[in-house]
Amino acid sequence: MPLQSAAIGRPSKRPIRIANCSGAKTDPGIHMLNQAQYGDFDVITGDYLAEMNLAQNAEAMRTGSHPGFEPTALEGLTMSLDVINDKRIKVLINGGALNPMALAEKTLDMVTEKNLDLSIAYVSGDDVMETVVQQLESGRDVLQHLDGEATVSPQHAKYLEDPQKTLVSAHAFLGARAIRRGLEADDEAGFDQYPNEQLLDLGLPIAEIDVKGHCIITKASSLPSIVTKDVVICQLLYELQGSIYLHSDVKADISIVTVQQESENRVYVSGIKGYPPPSTTKLAMFYRGGFQCELTMNATGYTTNRKYQLQEAQIRYKLKELDIADKFDTLEFQRCGIPEPNPRSQLASTTYLRIFAQAQEPTTLGQFIKAIGMHLSLDLRTLVPVPYPAYYPAIIPQSLLVEAVHLLTTPNKSAKTFSTGSPPEFASMSLRPSSDTTHPMSLSSFGLTTFIPLGTIVLARSGDKGANVNIGLFVRRAEHWPCLQSFLTLERMKHLLGEDWKEGYGLERVEFAAIWDGG
């Protein structure tokens, strides 16, 4: 049956239906099985990668303590292959992570054992460790920072003087060309408006994408959770960096995107335009940054702030006495919480101090405990120095990538390899637009005001993109939009950040006013 709405004038050809089963390495395999069992769609996708597990797994894989792929991805495939075969569902996941060939071979073993009619392939080309080492050793100016620094910045360069020793991993962001070539061969927005019982399990979305690139976001009717306009806007604003979403296959212009609640658990998204991609793609580099440890201590009562001031002063004094104060790369005293006035319990009056330290040598951190004076928990595991990977987000020319798709065959797991090539066309990148609203209104024109939390009428979602953080703020009612436009200026945002705003930070602001055009 065609999935369309004639009233909105969409194409009559049935959209492709794509379901997602994972957004992080911790999402269990049962989500893939549930989507496969209860959904009606063509493709299952799964995202298992983040900066965190790329670096951690690279070190563990070298020592033989990690397979390189994400176990939860294998778990999902193990549970779901029979249903996937019966319903002829295509599965596209990045759970192969650092070792996609190994996950593909394990999947092929299961397919062969079950005598299923499924083809297995994996994509290669994102591991550019050797290329990056060559570029660093040659001194070529190609590893520009994602935020526009001309070359590897000094604080990173000192760790990369010997990349053979310090570099942990380097992976480029690949597009969908290899996937296409291989085939040719709930969320928290406005959560307080719903009972907890309706939000206990993760939402599993389905996107119905038509030939024009418009889509409906929905879910399997028999699975829990909700799909609302607020939820979709919340996800749309997550991890954005300006009005152009960069991909190695395409630039997506979302400046005039609209979001419309079509019916219960069905949200229509349109207005996104595609353009040729940039000639570069994102590069995630990790190197051995040193060692770190942390400690949490609690204090109760109305003088907790004074207690923490004293503890910090004592520790800094003792570190100087031990002659190691200047050997720390990072030493932070983070005070968390405010005691409740006239508390009715001890917990309501308790806050904590998180002490976080990084240094090049574990021996420096090993002496840290000698400087601590307050009573502590007897569990001191977080005080033991552990190595940490440092993150350098960069860009790399797509011309340096060698992408391919490998179609596995039985019985010897030999592979037919197809080169994916490069995008047929590139386009230059321009500076991201950033400004206050072009149609400001006097705040007094909105009438009398009262002091309330911003979240009373504004919903938000924060995320990260490379070395940056973002926050997307939106209102539920269209009549509140002009007020938010005029209120939330660049200077107001800095004011709202308070002491978290630091000298040297940069701030960008962009509007998506057309979101409300759909009503």
Side-chain angles (χ1 to χ4, degrees), residues 133-201:
V133 169
Q134 291 173 354
Q135 300 299 320
L136 287 170
E137 291 180 336
S138 68
R140 296 175 192 168
D141 183 14
V142 295
L143 299 179
Q144 179 179 331
H145 192 279
L146 189 63
D147 287 337
E149 295 177 11
T151 56
V152 176
S153 59
Q155 62 265 38
H156 292 286
K158 69 177 183 179
Y159 296 108
L160 296 174
E161 291 174 354
D162 185 359
Q164 295 278 11
K165 179 180 179 182
T166 63
L167 202 59
V168 173
S169 66
H171 285 79
F173 178 73
L174 302 185
R177 296 185 302 280
I179 294 172
R180 179 179 178 181
R181 184 71 176 90
L183 293 175
E184 289 172 348
D186 260 42
D187 217 289
E188 62 282 313
F191 76 96
D192 54 345
Q193 304 299 309
Y194 302 91
N196 287 345
E197 292 74 18
Q198 201 170 348
L199 306 172
L200 296 179
D201 209 351

Side-chain angles (χ1 to χ4, degrees), residues 175 177 247-250 276-279 398-399 403 420-426:
R177 296 185 302 280
H247 194 279
S248 56
D249 283 329
V250 68
S279 60
Q398 293 207 49
S399 59
E403 301 176 56
T420 65
S422 298
E425 182 182 357
F426 294 118

Side-chain angles (χ1 to χ4, degrees), residues 318-440:
K318 200 65 179 179
L319 292 177
K320 288 182 179 179
E321 190 177 81
L322 294 169
D323 197 27
I324 58 173
D326 61 348
K327 295 182 179 180
F328 288 84
D329 295 329
T330 302
L331 181 58
E332 295 181 355
F333 295 80
Q334 304 168 356
R335 303 175 194 182
C336 304
I338 300 174
E340 181 181 293
N342 192 24
R344 288 180 286 180
S345 69
Q346 179 174 328
L347 287 178
S349 183
T350 300
T351 59
Y352 70 87
L353 176 70
R354 178 181 182 243
I355 307 174
F356 179 76
Q358 292 178 323
Q360 289 304 295
E361 300 298 333
T363 51
T364 301
L365 301 177
Q367 298 185 68
F368 191 50
I369 195 169
K370 298 177 182 178
I372 297 172
M374 289 179 68
H375 287 289
L376 307 171
S377 164
L378 295 180
D379 188 349
L380 301 179
R381 285 175 293 179
T382 59
L383 197 55
V384 177
V386 294
Y388 73 90
Y391 176 41
Y392 182 82
I395 59 176
I396 187 171
Q398 293 207 49
S399 59
L400 294 180
L401 306 182
V402 182
E403 301 176 56
V405 61
H406 311 271
L407 183 64
L408 295 183
T409 58
T410 54
N412 59 357
K413 299 179 184 176
S414 60
K416 295 181 179 178
T417 299
F418 305 90
S419 174
T420 65
S422 298
E425 182 182 357
F426 294 118
S428 61
M429 292 189 295
S430 57
L431 291 176
R432 293 186 297 268
S434 173
S435 67
D436 289 330
T437 186
T438 55
H439 305 289

Side-chain angles (χ1 to χ4, degrees), residues 436-450:
D436 289 330
T437 186
T438 55
H439 305 289
M441 299 174 63
S442 171
L443 295 181
S444 62
S445 67
F446 297 103
L448 296 176
T449 61
T450 186

Side-chain angles (χ1 to χ4, degrees), residues 133-296:
V133 169
Q134 291 173 354
Q135 300 299 320
L136 287 170
E137 291 180 336
S138 68
R140 296 175 192 168
D141 183 14
V142 295
L143 299 179
Q144 179 179 331
H145 192 279
L146 189 63
D147 287 337
E149 295 177 11
T151 56
V152 176
S153 59
Q155 62 265 38
H156 292 286
K158 69 177 183 179
Y159 296 108
L160 296 174
E161 291 174 354
D162 185 359
Q164 295 278 11
K165 179 180 179 182
T166 63
L167 202 59
V168 173
S169 66
H171 285 79
F173 178 73
L174 302 185
R177 296 185 302 280
I179 294 172
R180 179 179 178 181
R181 184 71 176 90
L183 293 175
E184 289 172 348
D186 260 42
D187 217 289
E188 62 282 313
F191 76 96
D192 54 345
Q193 304 299 309
Y194 302 91
N196 287 345
E197 292 74 18
Q198 201 170 348
L199 306 172
L200 296 179
D201 209 351
L202 291 176
L204 299 174
I206 297 173
E208 301 172 355
I209 307 173
D210 67 28
V211 294
K212 289 187 176 181
H214 306 158
C215 69
I216 283 181
I217 306 300
T218 184
K219 71 178 188 71
S221 59
S222 55
L223 292 178
S225 76
I226 55 173
V227 179
T228 66
K229 177 177 179 177
D230 289 343
V231 168
V232 173
I233 292 176
C234 181
Q235 288 301 103
L236 176 67
L237 298 178
Y238 177 50
E239 293 190 337
L240 289 183
Q241 192 170 346
S243 56
I244 304 294
Y245 197 95
L246 296 175
H247 194 279
S248 56
D249 283 329
V250 68
K251 288 192 302 189
D253 183 350
I254 60 174
S255 58
I256 58 171
V257 63
T258 63
V259 181
Q260 179 180 356
Q261 186 82 43
E262 185 174 79
S263 58
E264 184 180 8
N265 290 321
R266 290 180 67 81
V267 176
Y268 179 56
V269 181
S270 63
I272 301 175
K273 296 183 179 180
Y275 296 94
S279 60
T280 56
T281 190
K282 299 164 189 172
L283 170 66
M285 293 169 53
F286 296 91
Y287 57 87
R288 296 179 181 91
F291 295 83
Q292 69 183 35
C293 69
E294 63 179 271
L295 184 66
T296 300

